[in-house]
Amino acid sequence: MKIKKLKEIAKDIRLRVIELLYRHKACHLGSCMSAIEILVSLYFGGIMRKKDKFLLSKGWAAAALYSILAKKKIIDWKELLEKYYEPDSKYWGLVHHTVPGIEHSFGSAGHGLPVAIGMALADKKRRIFVLLSDGEMDCGTTWEGALFAAHHKMDNLFVIVDYNKLQAFGRTNKVLNLKPLAKKWKDFNFDVYEIDGHSFSQILKAFKKAFSRKGRPHVIICHTIKGKGVSFAEDKLEWHYFNLDKKLYEKAKRDICRGIN
Ligand SMILES: Cc1ncc(C[n+]2csc(CCOP(=O)(O)OP(=O)(O)O)c2C)c(N)n1
């Protein structure tokens, strides 16, 4: 698919997320927006084959993944729009496995990588993609998983890091320093890529190269901006938590339609 078309899809997904969050007074706007180009590339950019699996370890970006599944017609958009974040709905604010297209429930940080490793080990012929947040890498499970995956030469495992440099209580490198992040993964014997996570051409190129390399698990470190595309939310910690009032909802839609970058 052409990059122009992928950009159009990304815009549409951002607008859907804004709609869901505004209508249901839900949070995690920043977390969703930083991952849009990554998710669109996986689902619309020809990266995932039929039998491959994707896990959203940063399960609090549920509104973004649900919007993708709705765009793919795996779930019903109208139902999602009505039920997202509502009591007794299956469309939780954290991804839940009762929703079609969701492989596993996540939301408690640090669980996606171990689950992905188990799935990759169980069937070497399918590719497993897992999206981690940078804050999640504070969890010990990340590094135990990394040791294990490299030891078992799991080249069907693709770890993607949404490196937006903000986590729940502050700047990632102030809360617990991750730098130098690429070197750490290299030292764990991963095949490492470091790219702009909002550039479709860089994302697609990195995966193409990773698919050709055998014998090691892969990690694609995506430099991103939390809140990307919404002027008042970009790189702002509070938009992990805040919800949109009518004025900001209108402003967010204008920003996304116009394109602020
Ligand atoms: C084990 C655990 N502790 C605390 C939380 C609460 N929590 C929700 S999101 C989050 C961190 C958000 O920052 P980051 O992990 O970098 O994700 P981002 O949304 O920026 O991609 C935390 C601590 C959690 N989900 N799981």
mmCIF file of all heavy atoms in Angstrom, residues 28 30-32 34-35 58 60-61 94 107-111 132-137 139 162-170 172 224 226 237 240-241, ligand 1:
data_model
loop_
_atom_site.group_PDB
_atom_site.id
_atom_site.type_symbol
_atom_site.label_atom_id
_atom_site.label_comp_id
_atom_site.label_asym_id
_atom_site.label_seq_id
_atom_site.Cartn_x
_atom_site.Cartn_y
_atom_site.Cartn_z
ATOM 1 N N HIS A 28 -5.840 8.194 28.301
ATOM 2 C CA HIS A 28 -4.816 7.549 27.474
ATOM 3 C C HIS A 28 -4.750 8.081 26.039
ATOM 4 O O HIS A 28 -4.362 7.356 25.123
ATOM 5 C CB HIS A 28 -4.979 6.020 27.459
ATOM 6 C CG HIS A 28 -4.803 5.394 28.800
ATOM 7 N ND1 HIS A 28 -5.645 4.429 29.309
ATOM 8 C CD2 HIS A 28 -3.874 5.607 29.763
ATOM 9 C CE1 HIS A 28 -5.249 4.078 30.518
ATOM 10 N NE2 HIS A 28 -4.170 4.782 30.831
ATOM 11 N N GLY A 30 -2.618 10.340 24.950
ATOM 12 C CA GLY A 30 -1.183 10.382 24.595
ATOM 13 C C GLY A 30 -0.659 9.015 24.190
ATOM 14 O O GLY A 30 0.060 8.879 23.194
ATOM 15 N N SER A 31 -1.037 7.993 24.952
ATOM 16 C CA SER A 31 -0.556 6.625 24.713
ATOM 17 C C SER A 31 -1.030 6.091 23.361
ATOM 18 O O SER A 31 -0.312 5.360 22.684
ATOM 19 C CB SER A 31 -1.092 5.692 25.800
ATOM 20 O OG SER A 31 -0.979 6.279 27.064
ATOM 21 N N CYS A 32 -2.269 6.442 22.990
ATOM 22 C CA CYS A 32 -2.816 5.980 21.704
ATOM 23 C C CYS A 32 -2.103 6.671 20.548
ATOM 24 O O CYS A 32 -1.672 6.023 19.585
ATOM 25 C CB CYS A 32 -4.309 6.296 21.616
ATOM 26 S SG CYS A 32 -5.324 5.285 22.697
ATOM 27 N N SER A 34 0.774 8.055 20.129
ATOM 28 C CA SER A 34 2.181 7.772 19.800
ATOM 29 C C SER A 34 2.325 6.474 19.008
ATOM 30 O O SER A 34 3.331 6.281 18.329
ATOM 31 C CB SER A 34 3.067 7.768 21.052
ATOM 32 O OG SER A 34 2.811 6.680 21.883
ATOM 33 N N ALA A 35 1.341 5.604 19.081
ATOM 34 C CA ALA A 35 1.471 4.275 18.460
ATOM 35 C C ALA A 35 0.742 4.134 17.122
ATOM 36 O O ALA A 35 0.736 3.051 16.537
ATOM 37 C CB ALA A 35 0.945 3.215 19.431
ATOM 38 N N LYS A 58 1.204 -2.726 25.773
ATOM 39 C CA LYS A 58 0.742 -1.468 26.390
ATOM 40 C C LYS A 58 -0.779 -1.382 26.160
ATOM 41 O O LYS A 58 -1.286 -0.569 25.373
ATOM 42 C CB LYS A 58 1.513 -0.240 25.886
ATOM 43 C CG LYS A 58 1.717 -0.061 24.406
ATOM 44 C CD LYS A 58 2.272 1.336 24.085
ATOM 45 C CE LYS A 58 1.207 2.388 23.903
ATOM 46 N NZ LYS A 58 1.657 3.718 23.617
ATOM 47 N N TRP A 60 -3.245 -0.283 27.555
ATOM 48 C CA TRP A 60 -4.023 0.929 27.837
ATOM 49 C C TRP A 60 -4.201 1.787 26.575
ATOM 50 O O TRP A 60 -4.957 2.763 26.609
ATOM 51 C CB TRP A 60 -3.396 1.750 28.977
ATOM 52 C CG TRP A 60 -1.910 1.964 28.835
ATOM 53 C CD1 TRP A 60 -1.293 3.022 28.248
ATOM 54 C CD2 TRP A 60 -0.870 1.091 29.295
ATOM 55 N NE1 TRP A 60 0.074 2.858 28.289
ATOM 56 C CE2 TRP A 60 0.360 1.684 28.943
ATOM 57 C CE3 TRP A 60 -0.848 -0.132 29.969
ATOM 58 C CZ2 TRP A 60 1.596 1.099 29.230
ATOM 59 C CZ3 TRP A 60 0.386 -0.711 30.258
ATOM 60 C CH2 TRP A 60 1.583 -0.105 29.889
ATOM 61 N N ALA A 61 -3.529 1.414 25.462
ATOM 62 C CA ALA A 61 -3.787 2.091 24.177
ATOM 63 C C ALA A 61 -4.892 1.350 23.427
ATOM 64 O O ALA A 61 -4.928 1.313 22.190
ATOM 65 C CB ALA A 61 -2.518 2.187 23.343
ATOM 66 N N LEU A 94 -8.726 -1.208 28.630
ATOM 67 C CA LEU A 94 -7.500 -2.002 28.471
ATOM 68 C C LEU A 94 -7.864 -3.161 27.550
ATOM 69 O O LEU A 94 -8.961 -3.713 27.671
ATOM 70 C CB LEU A 94 -7.032 -2.555 29.823
ATOM 71 C CG LEU A 94 -6.773 -1.517 30.916
ATOM 72 C CD1 LEU A 94 -6.605 -2.209 32.276
ATOM 73 C CD2 LEU A 94 -5.542 -0.688 30.620
ATOM 74 N N GLY A 107 -2.656 -4.916 30.234
ATOM 75 C CA GLY A 107 -2.885 -3.630 30.897
ATOM 76 C C GLY A 107 -1.985 -3.514 32.105
ATOM 77 O O GLY A 107 -1.549 -2.426 32.469
ATOM 78 N N SER A 108 -1.692 -4.664 32.703
ATOM 79 C CA SER A 108 -0.713 -4.673 33.760
ATOM 80 C C SER A 108 0.652 -4.719 33.070
ATOM 81 O O SER A 108 0.960 -5.664 32.344
ATOM 82 C CB SER A 108 -0.929 -5.904 34.653
ATOM 83 O OG SER A 108 -0.038 -5.843 35.734
ATOM 84 N N ALA A 109 1.437 -3.662 33.263
ATOM 85 C CA ALA A 109 2.675 -3.502 32.497
ATOM 86 C C ALA A 109 3.632 -4.679 32.680
ATOM 87 O O ALA A 109 3.682 -5.294 33.739
ATOM 88 C CB ALA A 109 3.360 -2.203 32.930
ATOM 89 N N GLY A 110 4.372 -4.983 31.606
ATOM 90 C CA GLY A 110 5.445 -5.972 31.704
ATOM 91 C C GLY A 110 5.063 -7.404 31.374
ATOM 92 O O GLY A 110 5.862 -8.316 31.557
ATOM 93 N N HIS A 111 3.844 -7.605 30.843
ATOM 94 C CA HIS A 111 3.408 -8.977 30.582
ATOM 95 C C HIS A 111 3.482 -9.395 29.119
ATOM 96 O O HIS A 111 3.500 -10.580 28.804
ATOM 97 C CB HIS A 111 1.978 -9.185 31.091
ATOM 98 C CG HIS A 111 1.893 -9.196 32.573
ATOM 99 N ND1 HIS A 111 1.837 -10.357 33.309
ATOM 100 C CD2 HIS A 111 1.905 -8.191 33.463
ATOM 101 C CE1 HIS A 111 1.815 -10.053 34.591
ATOM 102 N NE2 HIS A 111 1.855 -8.744 34.710
ATOM 103 N N LEU A 132 5.680 -2.791 23.062
ATOM 104 C CA LEU A 132 5.958 -2.411 24.456
ATOM 105 C C LEU A 132 6.023 -0.895 24.561
ATOM 106 O O LEU A 132 6.462 -0.221 23.633
ATOM 107 C CB LEU A 132 7.322 -2.946 24.910
ATOM 108 C CG LEU A 132 7.677 -4.405 24.716
ATOM 109 C CD1 LEU A 132 9.055 -4.677 25.346
ATOM 110 C CD2 LEU A 132 6.638 -5.308 25.349
ATOM 111 N N SER A 133 5.685 -0.376 25.727
ATOM 112 C CA SER A 133 5.936 1.040 26.004
ATOM 113 C C SER A 133 7.333 1.159 26.617
ATOM 114 O O SER A 133 7.904 0.163 27.080
ATOM 115 C CB SER A 133 4.897 1.572 26.989
ATOM 116 O OG SER A 133 5.111 1.013 28.266
ATOM 117 N N ASP A 134 7.867 2.377 26.628
ATOM 118 C CA ASP A 134 9.195 2.520 27.248
ATOM 119 C C ASP A 134 9.115 2.315 28.767
ATOM 120 O O ASP A 134 9.980 1.673 29.360
ATOM 121 C CB ASP A 134 9.863 3.857 26.871
ATOM 122 C CG ASP A 134 8.966 5.074 26.990
ATOM 123 O OD1 ASP A 134 7.908 4.989 27.640
ATOM 124 O OD2 ASP A 134 9.339 6.122 26.427
ATOM 125 N N GLY A 135 8.041 2.817 29.389
ATOM 126 C CA GLY A 135 7.905 2.649 30.843
ATOM 127 C C GLY A 135 7.857 1.181 31.249
ATOM 128 O O GLY A 135 8.337 0.804 32.325
ATOM 129 N N GLU A 136 7.303 0.363 30.369
ATOM 130 C CA GLU A 136 7.207 -1.070 30.666
ATOM 131 C C GLU A 136 8.559 -1.743 30.812
ATOM 132 O O GLU A 136 8.671 -2.783 31.452
ATOM 133 C CB GLU A 136 6.476 -1.779 29.509
ATOM 134 C CG GLU A 136 5.013 -1.853 29.651
ATOM 135 C CD GLU A 136 4.437 -2.802 28.617
ATOM 136 O OE1 GLU A 136 4.540 -2.500 27.414
ATOM 137 O OE2 GLU A 136 3.888 -3.820 29.028
ATOM 138 N N MET A 137 9.557 -1.132 30.188
ATOM 139 C CA MET A 137 10.879 -1.763 30.240
ATOM 140 C C MET A 137 11.518 -1.662 31.615
ATOM 141 O O MET A 137 12.560 -2.248 31.863
ATOM 142 C CB MET A 137 11.768 -1.189 29.149
ATOM 143 C CG MET A 137 11.466 -1.885 27.839
ATOM 144 S SD MET A 137 12.496 -1.350 26.518
ATOM 145 C CE MET A 137 11.843 0.264 26.313
ATOM 146 N N CYS A 139 10.124 -3.032 33.998
ATOM 147 C CA CYS A 139 9.733 -4.317 34.592
ATOM 148 C C CYS A 139 10.808 -5.369 34.306
ATOM 149 O O CYS A 139 11.296 -5.496 33.176
ATOM 150 C CB CYS A 139 8.405 -4.804 34.006
ATOM 151 S SG CYS A 139 7.035 -3.683 34.298
ATOM 152 N N ASP A 162 7.587 1.532 21.725
ATOM 153 C CA ASP A 162 7.027 2.866 21.520
ATOM 154 C C ASP A 162 7.784 3.804 22.467
ATOM 155 O O ASP A 162 7.400 4.003 23.614
ATOM 156 C CB ASP A 162 5.524 2.827 21.837
ATOM 157 C CG ASP A 162 4.833 4.148 21.559
ATOM 158 O OD1 ASP A 162 5.530 5.152 21.317
ATOM 159 O OD2 ASP A 162 3.582 4.177 21.597
ATOM 160 N N TYR A 163 8.874 4.352 21.962
ATOM 161 C CA TYR A 163 9.811 5.102 22.808
ATOM 162 C C TYR A 163 9.428 6.587 22.792
ATOM 163 O O TYR A 163 10.045 7.400 22.115
ATOM 164 C CB TYR A 163 11.232 4.885 22.278
ATOM 165 C CG TYR A 163 12.359 5.264 23.208
ATOM 166 C CD1 TYR A 163 12.137 5.591 24.537
ATOM 167 C CD2 TYR A 163 13.675 5.264 22.747
ATOM 168 C CE1 TYR A 163 13.194 5.919 25.384
ATOM 169 C CE2 TYR A 163 14.734 5.592 23.583
ATOM 170 C CZ TYR A 163 14.479 5.923 24.899
ATOM 171 O OH TYR A 163 15.529 6.261 25.732
ATOM 172 N N ASN A 164 8.374 6.909 23.565
ATOM 173 C CA ASN A 164 7.881 8.301 23.570
ATOM 174 C C ASN A 164 8.456 9.126 24.712
ATOM 175 O O ASN A 164 8.099 10.298 24.878
ATOM 176 C CB ASN A 164 6.342 8.339 23.542
ATOM 177 C CG ASN A 164 5.711 7.689 24.763
ATOM 178 O OD1 ASN A 164 6.289 7.690 25.858
ATOM 179 N ND2 ASN A 164 4.520 7.129 24.604
ATOM 180 N N LYS A 165 9.319 8.508 25.518
ATOM 181 C CA LYS A 165 10.099 9.192 26.570
ATOM 182 C C LYS A 165 9.270 9.729 27.743
ATOM 183 O O LYS A 165 9.794 10.451 28.591
ATOM 184 C CB LYS A 165 10.967 10.358 26.025
ATOM 185 C CG LYS A 165 11.501 10.238 24.605
ATOM 186 C CD LYS A 165 12.609 9.254 24.457
ATOM 187 C CE LYS A 165 13.223 9.235 23.072
ATOM 188 N NZ LYS A 165 12.336 9.073 21.906
ATOM 189 N N LEU A 166 7.984 9.379 27.774
ATOM 190 C CA LEU A 166 7.155 9.757 28.929
ATOM 191 C C LEU A 166 6.491 8.519 29.498
ATOM 192 O O LEU A 166 6.037 7.659 28.744
ATOM 193 C CB LEU A 166 6.060 10.747 28.511
ATOM 194 C CG LEU A 166 6.432 12.222 28.353
ATOM 195 C CD1 LEU A 166 5.246 12.985 27.770
ATOM 196 C CD2 LEU A 166 6.853 12.861 29.670
ATOM 197 N N GLN A 167 6.448 8.423 30.812
ATOM 198 C CA GLN A 167 5.671 7.352 31.435
ATOM 199 C C GLN A 167 4.771 7.967 32.489
ATOM 200 O O GLN A 167 4.658 9.190 32.568
ATOM 201 C CB GLN A 167 6.586 6.258 31.973
ATOM 202 C CG GLN A 167 7.591 6.686 33.013
ATOM 203 C CD GLN A 167 8.595 5.569 33.292
ATOM 204 O OE1 GLN A 167 9.616 5.472 32.641
ATOM 205 N NE2 GLN A 167 8.288 4.729 34.269
ATOM 206 N N ALA A 168 4.097 7.150 33.283
ATOM 207 C CA ALA A 168 2.990 7.662 34.090
ATOM 208 C C ALA A 168 3.374 8.791 35.039
ATOM 209 O O ALA A 168 2.565 9.671 35.315
ATOM 210 C CB ALA A 168 2.348 6.520 34.852
ATOM 211 N N PHE A 169 4.584 8.790 35.561
ATOM 212 C CA PHE A 169 4.926 9.812 36.557
ATOM 213 C C PHE A 169 5.995 10.794 36.103
ATOM 214 O O PHE A 169 6.502 11.573 36.901
ATOM 215 C CB PHE A 169 5.360 9.144 37.868
ATOM 216 C CG PHE A 169 4.282 8.278 38.460
ATOM 217 C CD1 PHE A 169 4.483 6.930 38.665
ATOM 218 C CD2 PHE A 169 3.049 8.829 38.777
ATOM 219 C CE1 PHE A 169 3.464 6.133 39.181
ATOM 220 C CE2 PHE A 169 2.028 8.042 39.287
ATOM 221 C CZ PHE A 169 2.237 6.685 39.489
ATOM 222 N N GLY A 170 6.394 10.745 34.853
ATOM 223 C CA GLY A 170 7.393 11.712 34.403
ATOM 224 C C GLY A 170 8.177 11.238 33.195
ATOM 225 O O GLY A 170 7.794 10.277 32.523
ATOM 226 N N THR A 172 10.792 9.384 31.103
ATOM 227 C CA THR A 172 11.297 8.016 31.274
ATOM 228 C C THR A 172 12.717 7.994 31.846
ATOM 229 O O THR A 172 13.010 7.220 32.751
ATOM 230 C CB THR A 172 11.239 7.296 29.908
ATOM 231 O OG1 THR A 172 9.889 7.360 29.459
ATOM 232 C CG2 THR A 172 11.655 5.856 30.007
ATOM 233 N N THR A 224 9.100 8.120 19.230
ATOM 234 C CA THR A 224 7.753 8.657 18.988
ATOM 235 C C THR A 224 7.494 9.858 19.899
ATOM 236 O O THR A 224 8.298 10.161 20.792
ATOM 237 C CB THR A 224 6.675 7.585 19.279
ATOM 238 O OG1 THR A 224 6.884 7.105 20.608
ATOM 239 C CG2 THR A 224 6.720 6.442 18.300
ATOM 240 N N LYS A 226 4.552 11.298 22.456
ATOM 241 C CA LYS A 226 3.284 11.004 23.121
ATOM 242 C C LYS A 226 2.279 12.100 22.731
ATOM 243 O O LYS A 226 2.621 13.286 22.708
ATOM 244 C CB LYS A 226 3.511 10.960 24.647
ATOM 245 C CG LYS A 226 2.448 10.188 25.396
ATOM 246 C CD LYS A 226 2.956 9.600 26.697
ATOM 247 C CE LYS A 226 1.799 9.054 27.509
ATOM 248 N NZ LYS A 226 2.229 8.170 28.594
ATOM 249 N N LEU A 237 2.816 15.091 29.665
ATOM 250 C CA LEU A 237 2.525 13.979 30.576
ATOM 251 C C LEU A 237 1.041 13.903 30.953
ATOM 252 O O LEU A 237 0.455 12.821 31.021
ATOM 253 C CB LEU A 237 3.382 14.146 31.842
ATOM 254 C CG LEU A 237 3.152 13.116 32.940
ATOM 255 C CD1 LEU A 237 3.578 11.734 32.495
ATOM 256 C CD2 LEU A 237 3.893 13.513 34.206
ATOM 257 N N HIS A 240 -1.661 11.677 29.478
ATOM 258 C CA HIS A 240 -1.826 10.260 29.796
ATOM 259 C C HIS A 240 -3.173 10.083 30.517
ATOM 260 O O HIS A 240 -3.821 9.046 30.384
ATOM 261 C CB HIS A 240 -0.674 9.801 30.702
ATOM 262 C CG HIS A 240 -0.659 8.327 30.935
ATOM 263 N ND1 HIS A 240 -0.130 7.443 30.031
ATOM 264 C CD2 HIS A 240 -1.130 7.576 31.957
ATOM 265 C CE1 HIS A 240 -0.274 6.210 30.475
ATOM 266 N NE2 HIS A 240 -0.875 6.266 31.645
ATOM 267 N N TYR A 241 -3.572 11.122 31.264
ATOM 268 C CA TYR A 241 -4.714 11.012 32.184
ATOM 269 C C TYR A 241 -5.953 11.806 31.792
ATOM 270 O O TYR A 241 -7.069 11.383 32.061
ATOM 271 C CB TYR A 241 -4.292 11.507 33.577
ATOM 272 C CG TYR A 241 -3.116 10.783 34.149
ATOM 273 C CD1 TYR A 241 -1.836 11.337 34.099
ATOM 274 C CD2 TYR A 241 -3.267 9.527 34.733
ATOM 275 C CE1 TYR A 241 -0.746 10.664 34.616
ATOM 276 C CE2 TYR A 241 -2.180 8.854 35.251
ATOM 277 C CZ TYR A 241 -0.926 9.419 35.192
ATOM 278 O OH TYR A 241 0.151 8.754 35.693
HETATM 279 C C1 LIG B 1 2.288 -3.248 36.663
HETATM 280 C C2 LIG B 1 1.638 -1.920 36.405
HETATM 281 N N1 LIG B 1 1.889 -0.888 37.231
HETATM 282 C C3 LIG B 1 1.299 0.321 37.025
HETATM 283 C C4 LIG B 1 0.436 0.496 35.990
HETATM 284 C C5 LIG B 1 -0.250 1.821 35.786
HETATM 285 N N2 LIG B 1 0.173 2.413 34.528
HETATM 286 C C6 LIG B 1 -0.675 2.519 33.488
HETATM 287 S S1 LIG B 1 0.053 3.137 32.128
HETATM 288 C C7 LIG B 1 1.529 3.323 32.956
HETATM 289 C C8 LIG B 1 2.749 3.859 32.311
HETATM 290 C C9 LIG B 1 2.560 4.705 31.108
HETATM 291 O O1 LIG B 1 3.769 5.071 30.496
HETATM 292 P P1 LIG B 1 4.475 4.110 29.512
HETATM 293 O O2 LIG B 1 4.616 2.779 30.126
HETATM 294 O O3 LIG B 1 5.744 4.704 29.041
HETATM 295 O O4 LIG B 1 3.408 3.997 28.341
HETATM 296 P P2 LIG B 1 2.950 5.020 27.215
HETATM 297 O O5 LIG B 1 1.502 5.207 27.476
HETATM 298 O O6 LIG B 1 3.735 6.288 27.377
HETATM 299 O O7 LIG B 1 3.246 4.360 25.926
HETATM 300 C C10 LIG B 1 1.410 2.888 34.251
HETATM 301 C C11 LIG B 1 2.515 2.941 35.250
HETATM 302 C C12 LIG B 1 0.196 -0.618 35.148
HETATM 303 N N3 LIG B 1 -0.623 -0.528 34.096
HETATM 304 N N4 LIG B 1 0.802 -1.806 35.391
#
